[in-house]
């Protein structure tokens, strides 16, 4: 064991091996009460794993800022259903599940699907969105504290319509009139209107949290200059949404907007605001850029592999029932628990008794992730293939696709 | 991360939660066994509800073989409206300090830790459909799991009054 490890290590430049182990050592050093990191990687799985590593390893009484930008991806909350939240059929151009028609606007290209470890709803990330995350002692945590910090940073860059709303998100008020208002109040702007009044505030930043024994992670998006705003809704509109009754967490959709700032400018401003807010701890004792090579750190690699596992992506889905009982549908009700098909019930179905039995034998107790494409899967297993089964398979391909995850 | 072991899942398919629930007859037998055991070692102090600094509670069964685990009223109040509870898989082996599930409320996921090692014997499946019950009766009907214990907790466990004091200090 030791030998194999030593042999593998020797392929790495010496300095690299040292710098990785010292990253975790410095991160965990009790002397480092204030730390600030920025990632040069745009891999969402890696950035979330570095973030989780910071959450687990940083000293219990430290406060850490971590900033990163991801390549285009849809990120669902820990307890969400990807089939209701995401239009999975159009995600992965590169994996061949989506053929763009000539009539469609230019696409975003490959969009990764990610399930994060924190709660909350589904968001879209791209190169115009800065993700900020704060890891702090659980005792210091409130859902508003750091959203307020971000609003202060935005206002210093001239974004006076920015405020924290009742859902702890950041919005830009759209009021037409400028009213007198305390400029220090991060929950109100001169353009705040009565709740429900039009035009509605536009959401520019959404938050989610993960709480561990001693630590709290607050991470959030910030839409600065996304070139894909017009496309976001098509990724978040699922054809199965109204046909699936799901346990777990449903997203609350909001109209969104770009703030109109450059990513680098805001990044720098946010680091300054963080330093100002925690000036009583001194200046951050670590200010560091992390990147793709951090995947060589075993703990980060482990978290990365977990996020990319089929079990985490699909089987973590809370129990749900797909109900296709309307007159012109296929007349099937399917119960799924932890990603495993538990039962099939037929009501007003055109499927023959023989085919019903074949479907039950083939599908019950099967993991959705092992099916991938319904038509070839069923066709290769059910000998007496007929039109009824073909219709069922096509419909399920539409509603419950399981796309491949990126190769590690 | 609550990636579920396929062994546990396979086992679960064979023995549903309902089938594992002891029949009245079994209950009676257990009650007798407990009386016998009481003569030897199980003190009243052990069966009293105990609390952790992470705001979980455990309560040992009379025979000292299983414990019921849940989150405290203080924790339930602090979490706010609970929208989903991830329960552990039955037959999952757990070690003291492991996250055996998670609670989601107001966009945050919080781990549920077990202060005791053992095997998950039963989960409160009602919480899957009515997670909000944990805000109503966290120390009663809204228990989370029953664990067949394989050791004693080594971490700090508090009595009700010690725990109340602990939460008042915090």
């Amino acid at each position: 064991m030791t030998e194999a490890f030593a042999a593998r290590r020797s392929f790495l430049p010496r300095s690299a091996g040292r710098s990785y182990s010292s990253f975790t050592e410095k991160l965990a050093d009790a002397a480092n009460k204030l730390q600030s990191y920025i990632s040069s990687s745009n891999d969402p799985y890696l950035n979330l794993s570095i973030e989780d590593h910071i959450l687990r390893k940083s000293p219990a009484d430290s406060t850490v800022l971590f900033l990163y930008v991801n390549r285009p991806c849809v990120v669902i909350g820990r307890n969400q259903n990807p089939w209701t939240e995401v239009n999975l059929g159009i995600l992965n151009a590169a994996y061949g599940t989506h053929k763009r028609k000539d009539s469609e606007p230019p696409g975003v290209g490959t969009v990764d699907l990610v399930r994060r470890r924190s709660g909350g709803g589904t968001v879209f990330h791209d190169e115009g969105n800065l993700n900020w995350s704060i890891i702090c002692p659980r005792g210091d945590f409130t859902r508003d504290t750091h959203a307020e910090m971000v609003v202060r940073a935005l206002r210093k860059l001239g974004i006076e319509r920015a405020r924290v709303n009742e859902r702890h998100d950041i919005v830009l008020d759209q009021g037409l009139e400028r009213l007198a208002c305390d400029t220090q109040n991060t929950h109100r702007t001169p353009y705040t209107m009565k709740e429900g009044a039009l035009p509605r505030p536009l959401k520019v930043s959404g938050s989610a949290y993960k709480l561990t024994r001693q630590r709290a992670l607050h991470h959030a998006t910030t839409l600065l200059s996304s070139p894909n705003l017009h496309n976001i809704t098509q990724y978040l509109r699922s054809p199965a949404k109204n046909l699936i009754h799901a346990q777990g967490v449903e997203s609350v959709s909001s109209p969104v907007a770009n703030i109109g700032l450059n990513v680098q400018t805001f990044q720098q401003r946010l680091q300054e605001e963080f330093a100002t807010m925690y000036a009583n701890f001194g200046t951050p004792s670590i200010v560091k850029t992390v990147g793709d090579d951090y995947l060589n750190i075993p703990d980060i690699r482990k978290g990365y592999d977990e996020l990319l596992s089929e079990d985490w992506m699909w089987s973590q889905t809370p129990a749900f029932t797909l109900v296709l009982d309307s007159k012109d549908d296929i007349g099937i009700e399917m119960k799924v628990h932890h990603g495993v098909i538990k039962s099939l019930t037929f009501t007003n179905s055109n499927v023959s008794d023989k085919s019903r039995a074949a479907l039950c034998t083939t599908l019950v107790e099967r993991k959705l992730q092992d099916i991938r494409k319904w038509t070839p899967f069923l066709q290769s297993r059910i000998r007496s293939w007929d039109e009824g089964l073909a219709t069922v398979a096509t419909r399920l391909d539409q509603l419950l696709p399981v796309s491949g995850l990126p190769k590690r | 991360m609550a990636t579920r072991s396929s062994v546990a899942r396979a086992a679960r398919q064979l023995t549903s939660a309902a089938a594992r629930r002891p029949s009245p007859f079994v209950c009676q037998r257990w009650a007798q066994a407990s009386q016998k055991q009481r003569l030897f070692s199980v003190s009243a102090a052990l069966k009293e509800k105990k609390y952790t600094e992470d705001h979980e509670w455990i309560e040992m069964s009379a025979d000292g073989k299983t414990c019921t685990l849940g989150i405290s009223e203080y924790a339930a109040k602090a979490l706010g409206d609970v929208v989903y509870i991830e329960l552990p898989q039955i037959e999952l082996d757990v070690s003291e300090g492991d996250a055996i599930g998670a609670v989601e409320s107001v966009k945050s996921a919080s781990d549920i830790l077990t202060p005791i090692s053992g095997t998950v014997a039963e989960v409160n499946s009602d919480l899957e459909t009515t997670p909000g019950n944990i805000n109503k009766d966290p120390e009663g009907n809204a228990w989370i799991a029953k664990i067949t214990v394989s050791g004693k907790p080594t971490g700090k466990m508090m009595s009700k009054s010690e725990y109340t004091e602990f939460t008042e200090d915090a």
Side-chain angles (χ1 to χ4, degrees):
Chain A
M1 196 69 180
T2 323
E3 226 171 24
F5 182 66
R8 185 143 26 114
R9 274 288 283 274
S10 69
F11 288 108
L12 288 170
R14 278 211 169 174
S15 59
R18 247 202 322 269
S19 105
Y20 299 136
S21 63
S22 77
F23 165 70
T24 306
E25 269 167 37
K26 285 183 190 152
L27 168 68
D29 186 339
N32 294 318
K33 300 268 182 273
L34 212 53
Q35 309 182 29
S36 174
Y37 298 94
I38 191 158
S39 176
S40 60
S41 170
N42 66 2
D43 179 341
Y45 306 98
L46 177 60
N47 285 328
L48 284 171
S49 300
I50 295 174
E51 185 182 75
D52 191 57
H53 186 68
I54 298 174
L55 173 68
R56 289 163 191 276
K57 296 289 156 101
S58 53
D61 60 348
S62 65
T63 305
V64 185
L65 173 72
F66 179 45
L67 304 176
Y68 53 97
V69 174
N70 289 331
R71 62 182 181 237
C73 58
V74 172
V75 185
I76 66 171
R78 181 187 184 101
N79 297 310
Q80 289 203 291
N81 183 317
W83 293 283
T84 62
E85 294 292 338
V86 188
N87 190 352
L88 295 170
I90 65 164
L91 277 194
N92 296 320
Y95 310 129
T97 50
H98 174 54
K99 289 197 186 68
R100 195 164 67 82
K101 297 184 200 97
D102 287 344
S103 57
E104 286 178 24
V108 183
T110 296
V111 176
D112 286 313
L113 176 66
V114 187
R115 184 192 293 275
R116 60 175 187 264
R117 295 180 178 86
S118 59
T122 302
V123 287
F124 180 88
H125 291 186
D126 65 14
E127 63 276 18
N129 168 62
L130 178 75
N131 299 292
W132 53 268
S133 95
I134 294 273
I135 292 135
C136 69
R138 190 159 172 174
D140 294 353
F141 169 77
T142 79
R143 290 181 174 79
D144 281 337
T145 309
H146 295 102
E148 289 164 359
M149 172 188 86
V150 172
V151 164
R152 287 195 297 274
L154 287 170
R155 288 191 185 169
K156 281 181 191 152
L157 291 170
I159 313 298
E160 56 170 358
R161 291 174 182 263
R163 71 168 162 96
V164 180
N165 75 0
E166 12 354 283
R167 286 182 48 80
H168 320 285
D169 293 325
I170 299 172
V171 295
L172 298 182
D173 277 328
Q174 298 300 306
L176 305 170
E177 254 182 300
R178 192 185 160 89
L179 303 164
C181 169
D182 169 13
T183 53
Q184 301 301 307
N185 184 342
T186 47
H187 293 253
R188 217 183 148 78
T189 76
Y191 303 95
T192 304
M193 297 165 66
K194 267 191 208 138
E195 215 190 309
L198 296 174
R200 281 177 73 180
L202 298 171
K203 179 169 163 180
V204 291
S205 167
S207 289
Y209 323 88
K210 170 95 177 84
L211 306 175
T212 65
R213 195 169 174 236
Q214 291 177 304
R215 308 284 283 157
L217 161 79
H218 177 176
H219 59 184
T221 55
T222 328
L223 274 172
L224 295 170
S225 49
S226 164
N228 300 309
L229 277 198
H230 59 288
N231 274 330
I232 291 180
T233 46
Q234 72 170 355
Y235 285 99
L236 305 183
R237 202 178 288 139
S238 153
K241 173 106 186 151
N242 296 322
L243 303 168
I244 287 178
H245 302 276
Q247 289 172 15
V249 177
E250 205 179 320
S251 296
V252 177
S253 70
S254 317
V256 296
N258 273 321
I259 295 167
L261 289 173
N262 167 283
V263 172
Q264 273 76 32
T265 312
F266 182 62
Q267 218 160 251
Q268 205 182 338
R269 181 62 250 165
L270 199 49
Q271 285 171 320
E272 287 163 10
E273 192 62 42
F274 172 73
T276 309
M277 182 170 172
Y278 290 101
N280 55 331
F281 289 154
T283 50
S285 51
I286 302 179
V287 178
K288 196 171 166 55
T289 301
V290 298
D292 286 320
D293 49 345
Y294 279 64
L295 192 51
N296 291 314
I297 297 173
D299 275 352
I300 292 179
R301 176 82 212 196
K302 188 168 164 252
Y304 183 82
D305 288 345
E306 277 171 346
L307 287 185
L308 274 164
S309 71
E310 301 264 355
D311 273 345
W312 177 248
M313 190 62 244
W314 310 111
S315 296
Q316 171 73 13
T317 305
F320 68 94
T321 309
L322 174 68
V323 183
L324 305 173
D325 62 354
S326 81
K327 236 197 285 167
D328 42 4
D329 215 320
I330 57 174
I332 289 182
E333 194 179 297
M334 181 191 292
K335 285 195 194 302
V336 180
H337 201 251
H338 296 316
V340 178
I341 300 172
K342 284 293 166 191
S343 71
L344 288 179
T345 324
F346 298 84
T347 41
N348 306 321
S349 176
N350 289 328
V351 178
S352 70
D353 286 352
K354 197 176 156 199
S355 298
R356 289 180 191 196
L359 280 172
C360 286
T361 319
T362 317
L363 294 177
V364 174
E365 294 304 333
R366 184 82 65 176
K367 270 186 177 184
L368 286 180
Q369 71 208 42
D370 295 338
I371 294 170
R372 302 210 165 274
K373 295 214 168 91
W374 294 82
T375 304
F377 181 88
L378 290 173
Q379 213 164 6
S380 67
R381 283 169 180 80
I382 301 179
R383 252 182 267 155
S384 53
W385 192 252
D386 60 18
E387 208 179 311
L389 285 171
T391 314
V392 168
T394 309
R395 185 75 173 133
L396 292 173
D397 268 327
Q398 238 170 27
L399 300 174
L400 290 183
V402 177
S403 39
L405 294 165
K407 292 275 176 297
R408 291 169 220 173
Chain B
M1 193 176 292
T3 311
R4 291 161 169 103
S5 93
S6 53
V7 179
R9 189 178 295 113
R12 187 169 192 191
Q13 286 157 14
L14 297 172
T15 33
S16 77
R20 306 192 109 257
R21 213 160 279 150
S23 67
F25 170 73
V26 178
C27 273
Q28 255 180 350
R29 197 159 53 82
W30 281 3
Q32 278 172 5
S34 81
Q35 272 182 345
K36 241 186 261 166
Q37 210 162 15
R38 186 176 289 201
L39 294 172
F40 298 105
S41 63
V42 181
S43 66
L46 237 174
K47 280 172 280 163
E48 179 195 353
K49 199 179 262 178
K50 294 280 193 181
Y51 297 81
T52 69
E53 290 187 347
D54 303 317
H55 310 288
E56 283 93 18
W57 57 263
I58 55 168
E59 193 169 39
M60 296 301 295
S61 64
D63 64 3
K65 286 180 185 160
T66 49
C67 81
T68 307
L69 183 152
I71 66 167
S72 71
E73 263 163 39
Y74 176 87
K77 206 175 264 178
L79 284 168
D81 289 343
V82 170
V83 290
Y84 187 69
I85 299 174
E86 272 177 79
L87 297 168
Q89 290 274 317
I90 288 172
E91 309 245 314
L92 183 73
D93 287 328
V94 296
S95 301
E96 183 179 327
D98 282 357
I100 61 158
V103 176
E104 179 161 347
S105 60
V106 207
K107 300 191 271 186
S108 37
S110 319
D111 291 335
I112 304 165
L113 306 175
T114 171
I116 195 161
S117 301
T119 306
V120 176
E122 200 180 330
V123 296
N124 189 355
S125 325
D126 290 351
L127 292 178
E128 288 186 341
T129 42
T130 49
N133 283 357
I134 206 145
N135 292 113
K136 292 177 197 144
D137 192 13
E139 298 198 17
N141 282 332
W143 55 274
I144 287 169
K146 295 193 179 181
I147 295 174
T148 308
V149 301
S150 63
K152 284 200 172 105
T154 59
K156 187 178 174 189
M157 301 299 298
M158 292 170 278
S159 67
K160 177 88 186 166
S161 59
E162 287 165 338
Y163 177 71
T164 308
E165 208 171 304
F166 168 75
T167 53
E168 277 165 0
D169 288 348

